[in-house]
Amino acid sequence: MAKERRERMKAGGFEVEPTVEEQLMRIEDDIRRLKVEFDIYFNGGLKRPPYDTKLRLESHLKRLGDDRTLNFAQRYHYNTLATRYNSFNQLWRRTLQDREEGRGMGGNARPLVRDPNVPFERSEFSCADVKHDVRTVKGVYDALVEAKRNCGEPTRDLSFAKFHRLVTERTEALKEQVGCERVLFSVDVEGGHVSFKAKADK
């Protein structure tokens, strides 16, 4: 009933405050998006850190954290997301500090190391033009490299240029085979092994 009432209010042009569950889902999506943007920045794909996305996420976290109406399950979910964000934030801060102090640059470059306390986060990317949408493909590549490192697999021979060329070839073949315009890539770790899949995004 409550859901139907909210739908009627939306249809009538009324501003509807998002539910706690919707806010939690938004925060989870924002954490995933921010992580991808920082990965792209650290690998040279962005000129500046994604501070706008970061500030927006922190605002959402604070607003929901101050909500005293959350039940036990909602508060637990919120605390889990806040802990995940704080772990990522500490890692980003250390990496930014290293870059500012000259570490992680040139001959002293250090590979980005995952925080072992942070579980691998499944990533999905939708792309229509793999050949020219380099930013999205770079996000897929970074997620795949991170997954391989998480599983202890070598990444030395997986250059971005090689990955981009391979993904472009396979994506074009998939689009011709199933007749789709967009492809959905997913990167995950399942049972200690990297799972990299591509399917039609309908």
Side-chain angles (χ1 to χ4, degrees):
M1 294 293 294
K3 182 177 180 180
E4 293 178 357
R5 185 164 57 252
R6 287 172 57 82
E7 292 297 329
R8 288 198 299 270
M9 292 179 67
K10 287 182 180 179
F14 293 96
E15 289 290 335
V16 180
E17 184 72 18
T19 65
V20 171
E21 284 72 20
E22 289 172 340
Q23 294 180 67
L24 288 168
M25 289 178 59
R26 179 176 181 178
I27 289 174
E28 191 164 1
D29 289 341
D30 285 348
I31 291 175
R32 186 180 299 110
R33 183 180 301 109
L34 182 60
K35 176 182 174 298
V36 170
E37 291 184 8
F38 261 111
D39 286 345
I40 293 174
Y41 167 71
F42 288 136
N43 284 280
L46 292 176
K47 294 183 178 180
R48 60 187 299 273
Y51 288 134
D52 291 343
T53 305
K54 185 173 183 290
L55 290 174
R56 185 167 57 250
L57 170 58
E58 290 176 348
S59 175
H60 293 159
L61 280 167
K62 185 179 187 307
R63 185 184 307 118
L64 190 57
D66 292 339
D67 189 341
R68 298 180 180 275
T69 66
L70 270 64
N71 60 35
F72 177 81
Q74 292 167 340
R75 178 61 62 181
Y76 179 83
H77 190 181
Y78 170 84
N79 289 338
T80 300
L81 293 175
T83 299
R84 182 187 305 170
Y85 170 72
N86 289 333
S87 297
F88 281 136
N89 196 31
Q90 291 175 12
L91 183 61
W92 296 329
R93 187 183 299 114
R94 289 197 302 268
T95 307
L96 285 169
Q97 184 177 354
D98 285 351
R99 290 167 68 96
E100 291 173 357
E101 295 176 355
R103 297 193 297 270
M105 305 288 286
N108 296 322
R110 299 188 309 177
L112 294 180
V113 179
R114 277 184 50 80
D115 187 332
N117 296 318
V118 180
F120 184 82
E121 186 77 17
R122 173 186 172 88
S123 299
E124 290 188 346
F125 305 83
S126 179
C127 187
D129 188 352
V130 173
K131 185 175 182 179
H132 297 101
D133 190 354
V134 178
R135 178 171 177 173
T136 298
V137 178
K138 189 66 165 59
V140 179
Y141 171 78
D142 290 340
L144 181 60
V145 169
E146 183 182 7
K148 284 180 171 293
R149 288 175 179 165
N150 182 274
C151 297
E153 297 181 9
T155 60
R156 184 183 301 273
D157 296 331
L158 184 63
S159 68
F160 176 66
K162 178 180 179 181
F163 175 79
H164 193 187
R165 182 172 62 254
L166 182 62
V167 168
T168 299
E169 294 173 355
R170 294 189 176 181
T171 298
E172 292 304 319
L174 176 63
K175 291 168 73 173
E176 289 184 8
Q177 180 181 356
V178 301
C180 64
E181 295 184 356
R182 303 184 66 87
V183 174
L184 182 67
F185 299 97
S186 65
V187 181
D188 201 357
V189 171
E190 300 176 351
H193 299 284
V194 177
S195 171
F196 176 45
K197 301 177 181 178
K199 65 179 182 179
D201 187 8
K202 299 180 179 179

